Amino acid sequence: MTGLTQQHDSSYNLLVRKPYSIFCCELNERITMPKLKIVELNKELDIEQGIPILMGASLQGVNFGFICGGNAACGTCTVVVKEGADSLKPRNAKESFLAKAMMLGDDQRLGCQTEMGSGDLTVSIPALGRPASPFSLPFPR
């Protein structure tokens, strides 16, 4: 079973395939993760609900600039939500503060603070249209 890890809880025996597709052995059904669709790359990533967009994308090799290390202090990881905004949680306090300071619209979110919701999400990432910089590094683990 290469590429699989086994997780146990009180009622299910789960086999987790990377990246993030889960097969539940007892229920005999496949559970899929929400998809992040990135317009500029014409690419879909499976990202677990509750994982910040920036981290989930970076863990799968899609890096876009962030100067502050994912601490909601710079705005370089701003994404524009095209579809699926209804599945996202409201902005947290850190994101709200910076969004107000930067005058971000309701469709603009910080990738470092916005967690994947329960549904698919389509975003445009303006930073992907910029030249590469030393700040386009993998998300710190």
Side-chain angles (χ1 to χ4, degrees), residues 8-97:
H8 298 281
D9 70 19
S10 59
S11 56
Y12 301 105
N13 182 18
L14 298 177
L15 295 178
V16 180
R17 288 185 199 271
K18 301 211 171 162
Y20 309 117
S21 63
I22 298 176
F23 182 77
C24 183
C25 299
E26 289 184 17
L27 295 178
N28 216 14
E29 67 182 63
R30 186 179 171 87
I31 302 168
T32 57
M33 299 293 162
K35 294 196 180 307
L36 174 67
K37 299 171 189 170
I38 302 172
V39 174
E40 288 83 0
L41 301 177
N42 194 25
K43 189 170 191 171
E44 291 185 1
L45 306 173
D46 292 322
I47 300 180
E48 185 177 352
Q49 182 177 349
I51 300 293
I53 293 169
L54 177 65
M55 182 190 302
S58 182
L59 290 173
Q60 295 184 53
V62 177
N63 300 307
F64 51 101
F66 61 96
I67 296 170
C68 69
N71 293 304
C74 67
T76 56
C77 64
T78 301
V79 300
V80 180
V81 178
K82 301 292 188 181
E83 294 177 15
D86 54 332
S87 73
L88 298 175
K89 291 181 184 177
R91 289 182 167 126
N92 64 27
K94 289 166 79 173
E95 183 182 11
S96 292
F97 178 81

Side-chain angles (χ1 to χ4, degrees), residues 96-118:
S96 292
F97 178 81
L98 191 60
K100 184 176 180 182
M102 293 178 62
M103 296 185 281
L104 297 180
D106 291 340
D107 63 339
Q108 295 174 298
R109 301 291 300 264
L110 298 180
C112 67
Q113 299 298 306
T114 304
E115 298 176 352
M116 278 298 288
S118 57

